[in-house]
Amino acid sequence: MTGAIMDYSCEPDHSTRLVIRGKEPFNAEPTAAALVEFPITPEELVYCRNHGPVREFDPDTYTVTFKGLDKECQVTMSTIKSLFTKVETVAVLQCAGIRRKEMGAIKPVHGVAWADGVVANCRWGGARLRDVLQHLELISDPNADNLHVCFASYATLCQDDDYYGASIPLAQVLDSDPGVILAYEMNGEDLSPDHGAPLRIVVPGHLGARWVKWADTVIISASESPNFYQQRDYKILPPNVESKEAAKPLWSKYPAMTALPLNSVIGTAYKSTSDRLFVKGYALPGPTGNVTAVEVSVDDGQTWEQTKITYQESKFSWTIWEGEVPCSAETGTVYSRATDSSGHVQPKVGQWNLRGVAFNGWGIADW
């Protein structure tokens, strides 16, 4: 803990369509049933994950500091918007703790008891970080292999450190397309304070912990971010580590999480006729390829029925799926499982870990 006094008295209004999981800091999510009705998630249904107070900043005076190995520059928001070509990409943002409540039912875990709504598929707009770094002459390609880009927000107080920080290898910034985005728009509108205005980091394919909100500092570094949330959180520890005390000497031995695993969730399940069950949900790609199929089962996984993919926009977007399957029972349980382009299939049981992250057992719903 930083020891600083957290002031939550000046927070902006939050969406009323979210289920509140914590008030200070404000942490809230929509229901999966609401989410699956929209291929692109509307702002009022985008979850809020915070480690401190939500603050509002004036974009006209907001400045971002960029630090290279031997050079430092300050760039205003107006310069970022006017000087660099705006790019847009559709990418799914998801919290590492998605479905933590289900994992906690297996054995207690540490963290906010998230259900299955801490995910949002949005259209992000902003400047390519690669373009900005090259314009400022902060990098050269030969240096990229062993360097990292550290993102930080000193703008607002944080629970576990003096600032919120994260990092990724610089090579990912230089080689991928569209790459990391310095985002100032979400779904064609200016970012709101809840979602990191005036600037947040967007890292398609990575978990939300690396998508730093209220970003005000970008550093080229020879090492990963030293921040708490990079080094001592958002890591998957072995299942035999069952306490914070046992975890202490192990954090440095395990890598920071990057992509989250292949997953699927059932948002809606109801009897459409006496012998048919309608099922609808979303699926999330893992690191080994996009979702190619989603199946559902009403007999505990003995048989599976294929569903129809109704939306999938890019390799970084989520997948919306739905289907009607034979079912004569009036009540019961239905499961879902996703398959990706590499042939990987979502497992029946997600691996338990102390922080309750990356849960991806079969999707489940009762009707």
Side-chain angles (χ1 to χ4, degrees):
M1 297 290 288
T2 63
I5 297 174
M6 301 284 184
D7 182 6
Y8 295 95
S9 63
C10 298
E11 294 212 357
D13 292 336
H14 306 295
S15 171
T16 59
R17 297 192 62 187
L18 304 178
V19 179
I20 297 175
R21 303 299 184 193
K23 292 185 177 181
E24 294 183 355
F26 182 75
N27 287 298
E29 64 181 317
T31 64
L35 280 174
V36 297
E37 295 306 308
F38 302 93
I40 298 294
T41 309
E43 177 167 347
E44 61 267 24
L45 292 179
V46 177
Y47 74 92
C48 294
R49 175 64 174 119
N50 295 296
H51 294 279
V54 176
R55 288 190 57 196
E56 297 183 79
F57 299 95
D58 182 355
D60 294 333
T61 59
Y62 201 81
T63 300
V64 183
T65 298
F66 293 87
K67 297 180 181 180
L69 297 178
D70 54 9
K71 184 180 179 181
E72 180 174 326
C73 308
Q74 279 76 42
V75 183
T76 64
M77 278 302 305
S78 59
T79 299
I80 291 173
K81 288 184 175 182
S82 63
L83 187 60
F84 301 101
T85 301
K86 185 179 81 172
V87 297
E88 291 187 324
T89 190
V90 173
V92 65
L93 166 67
Q94 54 175 320
C95 178
I98 190 169
R99 303 179 66 191
R100 181 180 281 137
K101 188 175 181 180
E102 292 177 61
M103 187 184 288
I106 299 172
K107 189 164 55 174
V109 295
H110 294 282
V112 178
W114 295 115
D116 45 21
V118 278
V119 59
N121 191 62
C122 299
R123 189 176 303 276
W124 308 95
R128 281 190 182 92
L129 176 57
R130 178 176 61 220
D131 293 348
V132 177
L133 294 178
Q134 289 174 344
H135 175 81
L136 297 175
E137 299 181 342
L138 293 178
I139 57 171
S140 59
D141 289 350
N143 294 329
D145 288 347
N146 299 314
L147 297 179
H148 301 261
V149 182
C150 303
F151 312 116
S153 174
Y154 293 89
T156 184
L157 295 174
C158 201
Q159 288 172 302
D160 299 293
D161 209 326
D162 294 327
Y163 67 101
Y164 187 93
S167 63
I168 64 171
L170 176 60
Q172 294 181 17
V173 175
L174 300 179
D175 297 339
S176 57
D177 189 31
V180 177
I181 295 177
L182 302 175
Y184 46 80
E185 289 183 1
M186 184 177 76
N187 298 342
E189 303 287 341
D190 288 344
L191 284 173
S192 66
D194 258 333
H195 303 299
L199 191 75
R200 81 172 299 161
I201 306 299
V202 168
V203 192
H206 279 56
L207 73 158
R210 312 299 168 228
W211 295 37
V212 177
K213 297 193 292 187
W214 310 296
D216 55 23
T217 308
V218 177
I219 301 173
I220 308 299
S221 173
S223 57
E224 282 189 349
S225 168
N227 189 262
F228 176 91
Y229 298 100
Q230 182 79 20
Q231 298 298 331
R232 298 181 299 283
D233 199 3
Y234 297 117
K235 293 185 176 185
I236 300 175
L237 299 181
N240 64 321
V241 180
E242 299 182 342
S243 69
K244 289 183 177 181
E245 191 64 29
K248 282 182 180 179
L250 298 178
W251 289 116
S252 63
K253 302 181 186 298
Y254 290 86
M257 296 172 66
T258 54
L260 289 173
L262 178 67
N263 210 340
S264 72
V265 161
I266 299 170
T268 303
Y270 61 84
K271 292 298 292 289
S272 53
T273 67
S274 60
D275 60 356
R276 306 287 288 180
L277 181 73
F278 178 80
V279 190
K280 184 175 183 177
Y282 66 78
L284 303 169
T288 56
N290 213 341
V291 175
T292 56
V294 180
E295 304 165 288
V296 296
S297 174
V298 295
D299 58 8
D300 297 323
Q302 296 180 58
T303 60
W304 293 91
E305 297 283 343
Q306 191 83 4
T307 65
K308 178 183 178 182
I309 290 176
T310 60
Y311 168 84
Q312 186 182 84
E313 188 158 343
S314 75
K315 65 180 180 179
F316 297 120
S317 77
W318 69 3
T319 296
I320 300 292
W321 54 268
E322 65 179 51
E324 281 194 327
V325 297
C327 178
S328 57
E330 288 303 314
T331 60
T333 301
V334 58
Y335 299 93
S336 67
R337 69 178 186 185
T339 301
D340 71 15
S341 57
S342 297
H344 292 89
V345 181
Q346 182 180 353
K348 180 177 182 179
V349 180
Q351 184 185 49
W352 184 91
N353 58 84
L354 181 67
R355 282 291 284 117
V357 292
F359 184 79
N360 72 328
W362 290 349
I364 182 172
D366 294 326
W367 79 88

